[in-house]
Amino acid sequence: MIEAQADLEESREIRIKRLTMRSMRRGIKEMDILLSGFAAANLAEMTDAQLGEYDHLLRENDQDLYQWVTGQAPAPERFNALIDDISRTYQK
């Protein structure tokens, strides 16, 4: 409940900075690289709903995230579009 209340009080600018830092400071270096690049390229243009979904994604385990992004394991359906976007960032 406290976390939800804090999200409501957080400005968009602060939210993007927080998500950027959480993207850079992961448990494994590969996820630092993948997510910080995605965050730098995309967070500013994302809607509030998309930022919320990304925030939820960042709460997932790094080992799971890495497998989802690299296609080693299927992502949960709710994250499919976001994982596809992250993966496409590195297919260019």
Side-chain angles (χ1 to χ4, degrees):
M1 181 69 172
I2 293 172
E3 185 176 315
Q5 185 177 359
D7 287 345
L8 293 176
E9 296 172 4
E10 185 177 53
S11 72
R12 180 176 174 82
E13 179 183 358
I14 297 298
R15 187 178 199 188
I16 289 173
K17 286 180 181 180
R18 178 177 56 80
L19 293 174
T20 299
M21 288 304 296
R22 286 183 61 206
S23 297
M24 295 168 50
R25 307 270 192 242
R26 304 300 306 175
I28 59 175
K29 189 64 173 175
E30 293 84 355
M31 291 313 301
D32 291 350
I33 294 166
L34 292 171
L35 294 178
S36 64
F38 174 80
N42 295 285
L43 292 186
E45 289 81 35
M46 293 171 80
T47 67
D48 288 340
Q50 289 170 320
L51 290 173
E53 192 63 20
Y54 187 67
D55 195 357
H56 286 285
L57 180 75
L58 292 179
R59 297 174 194 182
E60 297 292 328
N61 179 286
D62 272 352
Q63 296 296 331
D64 292 337
L65 284 172
Y66 185 76
Q67 289 184 350
W68 300 340
V69 170
T70 60
Q72 296 176 29
E77 190 172 319
R78 77 179 271 197
F79 294 131
N80 278 343
L82 186 51
I83 292 294
D84 286 346
D85 288 345
I86 294 168
S87 296
R88 275 194 295 274
T89 299
Y90 297 95
Q91 292 175 358
K92 296 176 182 177

